[in-house]
Amino acid sequence: MTSSNRYLNTEVDTSPQSEKKINTWFLNQPARSLPLASPTTRPESSSQLSPSFEDTQSIPSIPTSTPPILLPLHTFLTSPSSEASDVLHRHTVQVYDTTSLSQYLNERGQGDLVKGEEGSGGWYDWVITVQVKGRGRGVVARGDGVLRRWLLKNPLHPSIPVSPHEYPKTPRISPDSDWSIVPLNLGPDADFRACVNLLSEEGASRWKLDELWKKAQ
């Protein structure tokens, strides 16, 4: 096979014109600017780009007559840094003074309509409702456990002993429950009753408790 002469020629052109050509060939090329990094292409987490839906929702105000003993619980339920924020929608926390409604229903013989895991009882004077996060089986049970464990570790009254266990046991809640009632231990001298109602999204739509308690306002 015959090779072309241009590949076999080993002579070097040393003329001034050639040397000038060799030394300046790269200067004749148009300058290539490096692409600048666009600030919009910088990887950002979704939380950095925009606030979450939860953060943009305001916390409903509570009645001015809310008993002080319930305020630490309300702070726990609505604080973005508490364990409750992992399982509960903070912006759904509602506090209701149902005293007038209780009196009205008792007069009608309907004072035992609220039933919880511990059985039926009279109507509560103060009711807190909150929707749990997630959908499907077990979401109410999970929220119920978080709330009850906090109450055992942070009693609402000084006379109530603090649980010595790091992870206190709580009542077993059916994974299919869409509504759970947690009665509040307010101490031996409390002159009113209070509870927290935990509902799933489906339970809130099904039972419409907020519509019932709003009648007391």
Side-chain angles (χ1 to χ4, degrees):
M1 182 175 65
T2 304
S3 301
S4 173
N5 289 336
R6 62 188 181 94
Y7 291 111
L8 296 177
N9 186 5
T10 58
E11 295 182 359
V12 178
D13 187 354
T14 58
S15 62
Q17 293 81 1
S18 175
E19 183 177 356
K20 181 178 179 181
K21 184 177 182 181
I22 293 174
N23 293 336
T24 61
W25 66 270
F26 59 88
L27 298 178
N28 297 327
Q29 302 297 322
R32 296 183 180 180
S33 59
L34 295 177
L36 298 177
S38 172
T40 59
T41 60
R42 181 180 178 180
E44 299 273 357
S45 64
S46 57
S47 60
Q48 291 174 317
L49 291 175
S50 60
S52 66
F53 173 80
E54 189 80 13
D55 293 335
T56 61
Q57 304 302 300
S58 60
I59 304 300
S61 60
I62 63 176
T64 56
S65 58
T66 301
I69 195 173
L70 298 180
L71 299 182
L73 172 59
H74 183 265
T75 299
F76 170 71
L77 295 175
T78 58
S79 173
S81 59
S82 74
E83 187 180 1
S85 65
D86 295 331
V87 296
L88 305 176
H89 286 298
R90 299 184 296 112
H91 66 279
T92 66
V93 176
Q94 295 276 4
V95 180
Y96 299 107
D97 177 0
T98 63
T99 305
S100 59
L101 179 61
S102 299
Q103 294 174 350
Y104 169 73
L105 292 173
N106 283 330
E107 291 174 358
R108 297 181 58 182
Q110 297 177 332
D112 291 326
L113 291 183
V114 175
K115 297 182 179 181
E117 295 294 330
E118 292 78 10
S120 62
W123 283 84
Y124 293 94
D125 304 301
W126 286 87
V127 172
I128 301 175
T129 62
V130 58
Q131 184 177 315
V132 301
K133 290 184 176 181
R135 304 188 66 180
R137 302 178 78 245
V139 293
V140 170
R142 180 181 62 179
D144 183 280
V146 169
L147 174 57
R148 289 178 187 266
R149 282 190 291 272
W150 183 86
L151 290 170
L152 291 172
K153 300 291 290 186
N154 302 271
L156 299 180
H157 192 274
S159 66
I160 305 172
V162 177
S163 173
H165 305 289
E166 181 178 358
Y167 200 77
K169 291 184 178 181
T170 60
R172 184 182 296 273
I173 305 297
S174 170
D176 295 318
S177 296
D178 62 2
W179 175 20
S180 173
I181 300 176
V182 180
L184 300 178
N185 186 351
L186 304 176
D189 302 324
D191 57 357
F192 67 94
R193 303 180 68 218
C195 69
V196 178
N197 289 261
L198 301 170
L199 299 112
S200 64
E201 181 180 347
E202 297 83 359
S205 176
R206 176 184 180 187
W207 299 107
K208 302 184 186 302
L209 291 185
D210 285 334
E211 295 183 9
L212 170 65
W213 301 126
K214 285 177 181 178
K215 295 178 182 179
Q217 303 304 304

